[in-house]
Each structure stands twice: as structure tokens, then as C-alpha cells.
Amino acid sequence: MMGLLNHFSTLLLLSLLPPVLSHVVDKFSDVPQCQKFFLEGTTPNLPGILVYGTVKDQNRYKPICQFYQDTYRFATLYDTTNKIPVFSAYTFTGPPTDPRPKDPWMMEPQLDGIDRPEMQRQDGGSYEHQADQNDYRDSQNKGVNRGHLFPNSHAHNLDTQKSTFTLTNIVPQVVSFNGGSWRKMEEHVREKLMTDCINNNRNIEAHVVTGAVPSSSNKLNKKVNIPDLMWTAYCCYNNKKKEWVAKAHWGENKEEDKEKTLKPETLGALEDMLNKHYQGKDGPVKVFPGDCPRYT
């Protein structure tokens, strides 16, 4: 009897302990707070990779509910083979309240079996399933730098700004592209979101998904894939016009003239283009659910 009582006492004690937070999950829907980064809780459909919320190759592609300072900040689907994100998804609620932070780059401990509750500062070391600081050493001399998918300039508060500086949100981006047409596009989109995405509560709210199409063999320091192309799309409800609004942009990750700009495209045009890169029986590509207009 005493042994049975001890057993139940142990179970009760364990039940009172705080849960071990897992941010590398099987499905984004496993974490309710993570679903808010996707419009209507619906993840993109990418044939062969992510289909109706289910990851096809769970040994390679890892959903991350990006967690920093006790709060979920955004969501990333990470490719542990190419060491770059497939996409990052976030909710835009207004421009930054603070200047660009100078905090150190971070990593996701749980990708490499380290049981820590949130993204951690990188203090050297090498990792098997994700990029690290050494992989980006002398990257400028190789013509690339760290390119955000969820840009710091789209994060509304300081802690969310800091959270974007995890290498699981980064791809090697050609310097002139990152600082040129892509940067100008991010600034233009930020201004459009602030004017076009006022919801019924008169707050700014837009859903954004930004992704990278990997190259076949181009790598930084023989480890981190240098993507061929980057893309982004947003969708929101415009309460003034009483209609859904969606726009998209994409560009090749290569050297470019400083005067180049990326023109806005329709969401449907983006999905048509991505269908050429993500092919399979689980198609077609769908970045956002049905309310978002495809060709207007």
C-alpha cells in the first residue's frame, strides 16, 4: 500500500511541474499560439513539403514556433538539410517601436536535441541540423550576407525585433539584392500594410509569409544553401474598402543594379510561379486560404 501511495504522490508531483515547452513541433497546430501567425490558422500548401498542415518528410523539415522572452513571435518551417528556412510566417501589427537592435545572433536549441525553452545566443560551436555563426564567416567576401525572411523592420516591438535575429530565420542573400530591391520592397510593403490593412477594430493586422527557393548545389562554406529565389506575400482585410487585399513579390537572389525595383504581383501569379518549383501530386501551391484574392 505504501508503495502505491508513493507512486500516486510522484504522479501528483509531476502533474504540478510546469510543462516542458517544445517549439520544434510535428505540426504548427500543436501549439495554439503558433496558429495565429497563419491566416485562419491555415498553413501554406507546398507539394512534397507541407501538405494540409502535415510535413511530408519529418526527418528533414521541422516546424518551429519561434519562442523568445516567454512569447511566441513567429513561425518557421526549417530545412535541416539545406540549413535554411523554407518560409517564415508572421503577423504584421505596425512598424517597429525601437531602432534596429544590435543583439547577438541566435539558434534553435531543440533542432539539435538541446532541451532549452527558447532560442539561444550563439556562442561559437557547430551544429548538425542548422546553420551557425562559423557558416557565415567571411560571407561578405563571398558576395552574400544574412538575409531575414521575417524582417526586423516589420516587427512591432523590441523583443520581436530581437527574435528575428535567429539563424533559423536567415538565408545567405546576395549583398546587392538584400540591400537593393529586396530592402526597398520590404519598406514599400510596410507602408502599404499600414494603410491598407486596418481591420474591423481599427488596428493594423496583416498576415505575411516569406520564403526561399533553394538552389540545386550552390552553398556557402560547403554547408548552407544559397537560394536561387526569394518570395513574399501578404493578405489582409481592408475595413475601409470592405474587401480582402493580397499582394506578392519575388526576386532572383543574384547581383543586381542598385536602381532595380521589384514590382507588386498578384497572389495568383506568385502561386503559379511557385508551382514550377514545388511540384507533386499534393499540389497546387497555396500560400493563403480562399478569402485572399488571387488575380485582382
Side-chain angles (χ1 to χ4, degrees), residues 9 28-29 65 68 78 87 97 130 133 144 159 176 221 226 231 237 254 264-265 268 279 285 291:
S9 296
F28 290 113
S29 58
C65 295
Y68 181 70
Y78 194 75
F87 65 74
T97 56
Q130 61 190 300
Q133 285 287 68
V144 299
D159 280 340
S176 61
N221 291 325
I226 301 175
W231 57 271
Y237 186 73
K254 65 180 183 180
E265 304 279 358
Q279 298 180 347
V285 170
D291 282 336

Side-chain angles (χ1 to χ4, degrees), residues 274-288:
L274 291 177
N275 277 320
K276 300 174 184 177
H277 297 279
Y278 300 105
Q279 298 180 347
K281 62 181 181 179
D282 303 310
V285 170
K286 201 169 186 179
V287 177
F288 291 115

Side-chain angles (χ1 to χ4, degrees), residues 109-261:
Q110 293 180 352
L111 279 180
D112 279 276
I114 303 169
D115 190 14
R116 292 183 180 175
E118 62 182 44
M119 60 179 72
Q120 300 287 320
R121 172 176 174 168
Q122 280 207 5
D123 292 315
S126 182
Y127 304 98
E128 181 181 357
H129 299 112
Q130 61 190 300
D132 55 61
Q133 285 287 68
N134 289 330
D135 299 323
Y136 282 88
R137 182 179 298 168
D138 298 324
S139 62
Q140 293 267 13
N141 295 331
K142 297 177 174 67
V144 299
N145 56 15
R146 297 170 181 84
H148 285 66
L149 294 194
F150 177 12
N152 154 76
S153 62
H154 284 199
H156 187 46
N157 57 58
L158 183 59
D159 280 340
T160 303
Q161 286 179 267
K162 291 179 179 180
S163 75
T164 68
F165 289 85
T166 169
L167 290 182
T168 56
N169 181 48
I170 297 296
V171 301
Q173 194 169 359
V174 172
V175 174
S176 61
F177 176 47
N178 192 9
S181 65
W182 193 258
R183 177 186 59 80
K184 288 184 283 188
M185 177 276 298
E186 289 177 337
E187 292 173 352
H188 169 75
V189 166
R190 183 180 64 192
E191 298 306 311
K192 291 293 289 181
L193 296 179
M194 290 167 59
T195 58
D196 292 354
C197 297
I198 310 298
N199 65 18
N200 291 329
N201 296 320
R202 298 185 179 181
N203 296 318
I204 300 170
E205 183 179 38
H207 286 84
V208 188
V209 181
T210 302
V213 176
S215 62
S216 59
S217 58
N218 191 16
K219 293 185 178 181
L220 173 63
N221 291 325
K222 300 180 179 180
K223 181 179 175 183
V224 184
N225 189 281
I226 301 175
D228 282 340
L229 180 142
M230 295 180 65
W231 57 271
T232 186
Y234 69 85
C235 183
C236 66
Y237 186 73
N238 186 321
N239 189 50
K240 184 177 181 180
K241 295 183 178 181
K242 305 298 181 184
E243 65 183 16
W244 287 90
V245 177
K247 282 289 184 289
H249 296 81
W250 67 84
E252 294 181 81
N253 189 25
K254 65 180 183 180
E255 289 286 342
E256 64 179 30
D257 184 90
K258 65 180 180 180
E259 302 301 323
K260 183 177 179 180
T261 59

Side-chain angles (χ1 to χ4, degrees), residues 40 107 129 211 283:
E40 299 174 5
M107 50 81 74
H129 299 112

